[in-house]
């Protein structure tokens, strides 16, 4: 399924540059139909997924407690949020929120779980490692039997995407967490850095195709007047080692997704598990990154700057290459819309087949519905979770605010052709108080929880927002959809395997420390063998055995 969707994405990527209709085919899949959507009086079609009946309870509203990682752009209180009012109106449910600043959420979550002072539910912020500890202890509720009886949408999703159910299920059949799903092709492979292609034009350079090309481009930015201001010493060629790390590793034949400890570690090649940080290709990555650091191509402050400090540097318009979409940082459209592109796949010149990490099947995020043993309404909450997997429920989670000419579900749909029912959507948000559509959405809905991102929603949300269209175009135009594959699936571990993996946090911390030391020169790469030996001495062989066994079980079907 993943390969088919990714191939579809690439097949129409070229057309995206000149035709909005091609973007529609790509984002929603050829053959999907919007028939039945334009009723304006009831819930629109949800595909084959029946919409669970609401409200989930009659009589007095149900109150459930949640602890939630609040983003800085979200309201300090959710009490007056559109989503919360709509939740009461539709479902007869009230969420009693405990909002924790995102930066401190993991620590706070760990404390309340350890102390027994945890809420009824989490709809964000639970990691796989949490699930593996607190599920078997009975603190996280086994959702499987409740889903089987009360969640038709969820079961339909499992039929379509059986790999997801495999990743959620333990050997005894227990399921402690439900994720969200993305069937949006642009979101099904990892991003690469963005760079100012306008600066290449200023310098008379072609787009880089290899790691050598990339080095030469970055060197030219360092030494030339890339931004055309008459000075040659005020540009920052590369701001951080984030997505570029994925780029370099892929060029050397390795790929991985960031794990719970924030490192790129897990890769299965030809059925064999490889721990990426001890592979020869990882050493090559360190050598390349060290050259960028030594030659002041990489920002000297790359290892110490915070996210806010990096954004401040980007806002000076002196940064050539960085992670993240520029429109989320630069407020003036003219500063990014015709100036940036996403970096294409870089070859190392060896002729090896290109590789790039795809995201984990159809999941965008993990831990978007976890219910604890304190919840007094398990059946009702599973029914509500299932409702959010429908189109109308997903939009309620992700966006939507009733205002003016909006239809009852928060969107203005414009019919372009009454005979064919061709249509597009428009969004009218408060531009006076919000810098962008995303910020406006964050003020009106949590954007977290169980949902399906795709199909009808994508047409509404991507077509109605020029920034979303730009992001889709630039990402899909890199061509990575053609060769992206999942480096390592989400798996479950036995009790013995979890015991063997207890050393993993220490290993990961050591890897992160040594990465910085190798690149900055605090440690010499001549000590590579000693580094590998140290990791093995910390228990790496047991980690590899556990991860191989878990993968083999997952793959046996």
């Amino acid at each position: 399924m993943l390969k088919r969707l990714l191939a579809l994405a690439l097949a129409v990527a070229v057309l995206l540059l000149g035709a909005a209709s091609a973007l529609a085919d790509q984002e929603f899949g050829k053959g999907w139909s919007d028939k039945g959507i334009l009723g304006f009086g009831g819930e629109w079609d949800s595909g084959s997924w029946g919409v669970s009946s609401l409200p989930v309870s009659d009589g007095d509203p149900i109150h459930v407690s949640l602890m939630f990682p609040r983003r800085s752009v979200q309201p300090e209180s959710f009490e007056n949020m559109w989503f919360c009012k709509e939740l009461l109106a539709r479902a007869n449910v009230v969420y009693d929120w405990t909002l924790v600043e995102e930066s401190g959420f993991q620590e706070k979550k760990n404390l309340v779980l350890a102390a027994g002072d945890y809420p009824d539910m989490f709809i964000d912020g639970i990691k796989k490692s949490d699930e593996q500890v607190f599920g078997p202890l009975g603190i996280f509720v086994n959702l499987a039997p409740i889903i089987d009886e009360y969640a038709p949408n969820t079961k339909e999703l499992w039929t379509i995407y059986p790999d997801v159910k495999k990743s959620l299920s333990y050997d005894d059949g227990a399921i402690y967490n439900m994720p969200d799903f993305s069937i949006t092709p642009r979101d099904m492979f990892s991003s690469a850095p963005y760079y100012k292609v306008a600066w290449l034009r200023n310098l008379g350079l072609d787009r880089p195709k290899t790691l050598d090309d990339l080095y030469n481009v970055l060197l030219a930015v360092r030494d030339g007047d890339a931004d055309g201001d008459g000075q040659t010493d005020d540009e920052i060629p590369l701001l951080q080692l984030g997505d570029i790390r994925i780029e370099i590793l892929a060029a050397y034949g390795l790929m991985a997704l960031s794990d719970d400890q924030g490192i790129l570690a897990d890769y299965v090649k030809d059925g064999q598990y490889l721990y990426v940080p001890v592979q020869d290709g990882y050493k090559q990555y360190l050598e390349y990154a060290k050259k960028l650091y030594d030659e002041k191509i990489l920002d000297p402050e790359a290892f110490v700057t915070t996210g806010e400090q990096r954004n401040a540097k980007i806002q000076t318009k002196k940064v050539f290459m960085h992670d993240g979409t520029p429109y989320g940082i630069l407020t003036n459209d003219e500063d990014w819309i015709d100036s940036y592109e996403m970096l294409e796949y870089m070859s190392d010149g060896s002729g090896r087949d290109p590789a790039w990490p795809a995201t984990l099947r159809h999941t965008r995020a993990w831990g978007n519905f976890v219910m604890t043993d304190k919840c007094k309404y398990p059946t009702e909450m599973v029914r509500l979770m299932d409702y959010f997997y429908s189109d109308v429920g997903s939009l309620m989670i992700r966006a939507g605010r009733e205002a003016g000419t909006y239809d009852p579900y928060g969107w203005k749909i414009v019919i372009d052709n009454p005979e064919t029912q061709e249509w597009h959507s428009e969004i009218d948000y408060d531009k006076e108080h919000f810098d962008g559509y995303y910020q406006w959405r964050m003020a009106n809905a949590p954007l977290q929880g169980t949902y399906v991102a795709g199909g009808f929603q994508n047409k509404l949300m991507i077509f109605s927002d020029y920034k979303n269209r730009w992001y889709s175009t630039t990402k899909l135009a890199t061509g990575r959809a053609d060769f992206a594959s999942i480096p390592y699936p989400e798996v479950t571990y036995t009790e013995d395997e979890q015991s063997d993996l207890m050393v993993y946090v220490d290993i990961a911390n050591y890897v992160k420390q040594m990465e910085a030391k190798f690149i900055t020169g605090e440690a010499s790469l001549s000590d590579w063998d000693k580094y590998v030996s140290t990791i093995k001495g910390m228990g790496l062989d047991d980690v590899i055995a556990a991860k191989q066994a878990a993968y083999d079980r997952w793959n046996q079907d």
Side-chain angles (χ1 to χ4, degrees), residues 56-98:
V56 297
S57 178
D58 297 322
D60 293 336
I62 288 176
H63 283 255
V64 289
S65 59
L66 290 85
M67 193 171 80
F68 185 81
R70 174 189 169 273
R71 281 67 176 174
S72 59
V73 296
Q74 289 182 309
E76 293 186 1
S77 169
F78 284 8
E79 182 178 351
N80 293 316
M81 182 181 278
W82 173 86
F83 168 85
C84 297
K85 296 176 181 178
E86 196 71 5
L87 182 67
L88 176 59
R90 294 191 197 185
N92 200 29
V93 171
V94 175
Y95 283 171
D96 295 325
W97 302 87
T98 296

Side-chain angles (χ1 to χ4, degrees), residues 511-529:
V511 167
K512 286 186 283 189
Q513 293 168 8
M514 292 306 297
E515 178 192 32
K517 289 181 177 180
F518 281 137
I519 292 171
T520 61
E522 186 176 343
S524 172
L525 277 166
S526 62
D527 291 331
W528 170 260
D529 290 342

